[in-house]
Amino acid sequence: MTLVEMGIPALRSRRPSLDGRPDTPYLVDKFGRTARDLRVSITEKCSLRCTYCMPEEGLPPIPRDELLTTDEIVRLVELAVRELGVHEVRFTGGEPLLRRDLEQIIAGCHARVPETPLAMTTNGVGLEHRARGLAAAGLHRVNVSLDTVDRQGFAKLTRRDRLDSVLAGIRAAHAVGLAPVKVNAVLMRETLPGAADLLQWCLAEGCELRFIEEMPLDADHEWARANMVTAADLLDVLSARFTLTPAGRADPSAPAEKWLVDEGPGTVGIIATVTRKFCDTCDRTRLTADGMLRSCLFSDEEYDLRQALRSGADDGELAAIWRGAMWNKWAGHGIDAEGFVPPERTMGAIGG
Ligand code: SAM
Ligand code: SF4
C-alpha cells in the first residue's frame, strides 16, 4: 500500500524553511497569526464510524512503533507550552478514549504544565466509566460529539447503536465537573430535522451545543459543496422552535458564532467553517498520532517530529522544526475555490 492509499500525505519534510521569520519563540506565521491552541491526536482508532469521517472498515491502523508513546506526547506538550507559547491543549483522535494510557498522558501533561488547560474531544462512548479518573488525572473539560438524540438516526449516522452510552458519558462528565461540557454536532441533511430536539436536550442538560458545517474531510469522499447543510439552513430550522438573538463570538479567534436562546435560557453556537471561514484568526497547531506536525487541517504539508525526536533531537531543535512548520502555514483552506483538492489525511487521521 502506498502512503497516499493509507491516507498519509506524500509531502513530508523534516526541515521547514525559516527564511524571513522574525526572532520570536512563538508560533508565528507569515499572515500575522500566532498559534496558541494545540490539538494532539493520540490514535486513529475509533469506536464509531461516523459517515462524514470514517470509512465503514475504520482507518488503516498506524503501526504500533509509529505511534507516539505516552512519554513522547508528554515531552512534546511540555515543549509546546514552555518554549512555544501554547496556551491550551486538546486531545483528540480517532477516539482518545481508546488509548488505555489516556489517564497517564493527561496526568503526565498536568504534572509538567499544571497551569495549562487540558481538554479532550471525544465521542463519549465509555466516558461514563472514565470521567472521574480523567478529571482526577487533570483533565479540565470535554467536548462530546453528538449529532442527534434519535437512537435510530444515531445508529445510522455512526454505524453503531451507542447513543445511550454517549448520553451517559455526557452526564458523567457533568457530574465530575469536566465543565463546561460542550456538545459538537456536524450539520448533515439526515440530522437537520432533529436539530431542534438536540438543542432542547442540550439546554435541559446544561450543555453548550455547537453545530459545525461539514468539511470535505470524510474518508468516503462523499462531501459536495452543493449538498452541504449550511449555517443558514440550520438557523431556519431552529428559529421555527426557538427565539434566537445573535451574540457574536466569545473572542475574535473563537470559531463559534453564538446565539442566545430565550427558551433555555442558554446559547447555541455555529462553526461555519465553510460558508464563513475564519482562517485569518486561526490559532491552531496540530500534532498527529504518528508524530507529524500540521499547521492546517487542509494542507498536506507535514513535518516529521517523531523521526527528529527519536534520532535524539534536543528541545531547541524540536522547537525550531515546530516554529518553521507554523511559519510556513497557508493563508487559508480555499474550500470554495475552483480546483480545491481535499487533503490526503481525513479528519479521523488528523484529529478534529
Ligand atoms: N472521536 C472524537 C469525536 O468524535 O469527538 C474526536 C475526533 S473527531 C475527528 C473530532 C471532531 O471532528 C468531532 O466533533 C467530529 O464531529 C468532527 N468531524 C469529523 N469529521 C468531520 C467533517 N467531515 N466535517 C466537520 N467536522 C467533522
Ligand atoms: Fe470516530 Fe469521531 Fe470520526 Fe466519529 S467523528 S468516526 S467518533 S473519530
Side-chain angles (χ1 to χ4, degrees):
M1 208 186 267
T2 66
L3 283 179
V4 170
E5 281 163 346
M6 288 174 73
I8 309 287
L11 280 171
R12 279 186 170 182
S13 55
R14 266 191 285 154
R15 292 282 174 253
S17 155
L18 291 164
D19 285 355
R21 189 182 177 281
D23 184 18
T24 166
Y26 301 124
L27 295 174
V28 296
D29 68 29
K30 294 171 184 150
F31 303 94
R33 300 167 295 192
T34 303
R36 301 199 178 277
D37 181 350
L38 168 61
R39 303 280 151 126
V40 185
S41 174
I42 56 176
T43 180
E44 82 299 352
K45 294 192 174 33
C46 192
S47 45
L48 301 180
R49 295 286 184 274
C50 306
T51 52
Y52 50 75
C53 178
M54 291 257 172
E56 185 144 23
E57 66 282 9
L59 291 170
I62 298 176
R64 210 182 153 74
D65 63 341
E66 291 181 13
L67 212 56
L68 291 185
T69 65
T70 319
D71 290 347
E72 287 172 337
I73 294 170
V74 171
R75 177 174 172 198
L76 291 176
V77 165
E78 183 178 16
L79 177 84
V81 172
R82 298 243 174 270
E83 306 291 331
L84 305 170
V86 160
H87 280 180
E88 174 162 2
V89 181
R90 174 172 295 278
F91 298 97
T92 180
E95 176 44 48
L97 289 169
L98 292 188
R99 268 229 25 187
R100 285 203 207 117
D101 60 348
L102 176 60
E103 286 77 357
Q104 285 76 48
I105 294 172
I106 303 280
C109 293
H110 185 57
R112 300 279 185 90
V113 289
E115 69 287 0
T116 304
L118 302 176
M120 174 174 75
T121 299
T122 171
N123 64 28
V125 174
L127 179 60
E128 70 181 299
H129 307 295
R130 293 176 71 186
R132 188 166 298 283
L134 288 166
L139 187 67
H140 292 85
R141 44 182 178 262
V142 287
N143 287 3
V144 182
S145 302
L146 172 64
D147 304 310
T148 173
V149 285
D150 172 72
R151 184 168 165 190
Q152 280 187 341
F154 181 95
K156 195 156 181 241
L157 196 70
T158 66
R159 303 176 176 120
R160 300 286 186 274
D161 186 10
R162 303 303 306 275
L163 176 65
D164 288 350
S165 180
V166 178
L167 301 186
I170 293 174
R171 290 183 173 128
H174 261 304
V176 302
L178 289 171
V181 179
K182 292 186 183 168
V183 169
N184 290 345
V186 176
L187 274 170
M188 302 286 289
R189 283 275 155 235
E190 303 90 303
T191 49
L192 187 61
D197 287 346
L198 178 62
L199 177 54
Q200 190 102 46
W201 188 89
C202 288
L203 291 170
E205 297 284 333
C207 299
E208 220 179 295
L209 174 62
R210 293 118 43 95
F211 288 94
I212 306 169
E213 283 180 347
E214 189 195 2
M215 294 178 272
L217 292 169
D218 57 314
D220 292 336
H221 302 295
E222 299 276 326
W223 184 94
R225 179 71 173 84
N227 299 338
M228 68 166 279
V229 180
T230 64
D233 299 330
L234 173 73
L235 287 170
D236 282 349
V237 168
L238 295 183
S239 302
R241 190 180 309 174
F242 300 101
T243 314
L244 304 176
T245 314
R249 295 178 197 273
D251 70 70
S253 67
E257 278 181 77
K258 285 194 176 185
W259 275 260
L260 298 173
V261 187
D262 285 4
E263 291 79 356
T267 60
V268 61
I270 305 184
I271 304 181
T273 331
V274 180
T275 60
R276 298 180 208 170
K277 77 173 185 156
F278 39 83
C279 300
D280 52 346
T281 57
C282 177
D283 65 350
R284 306 267 160 90
T285 179
R286 296 172 188 276
L287 182 62
T288 66
D290 54 347
M292 303 299 139
L293 279 175
R294 290 179 72 102
S295 57
C296 173
L297 277 174
F298 291 93
S299 161
D300 273 330
E301 194 126 326
E302 296 193 338
Y303 296 93
D304 191 342
L305 215 50
R306 184 190 75 227
Q307 153 94 35
L309 189 74
R310 292 185 182 172
S311 43
D314 63 19
D315 282 359
E317 291 167 72
L318 296 174
I321 297 173
W322 209 320
R323 291 184 187 115
M326 297 309 295
W327 178 240
N328 289 290
K329 180 171 173 147
W330 294 6
H333 59 51
I335 294 175
D336 266 340
E338 212 165 298
F340 167 77
V341 181
E344 295 293 346
R345 263 195 214 253
T346 58
M347 190 63 132
I350 304 170

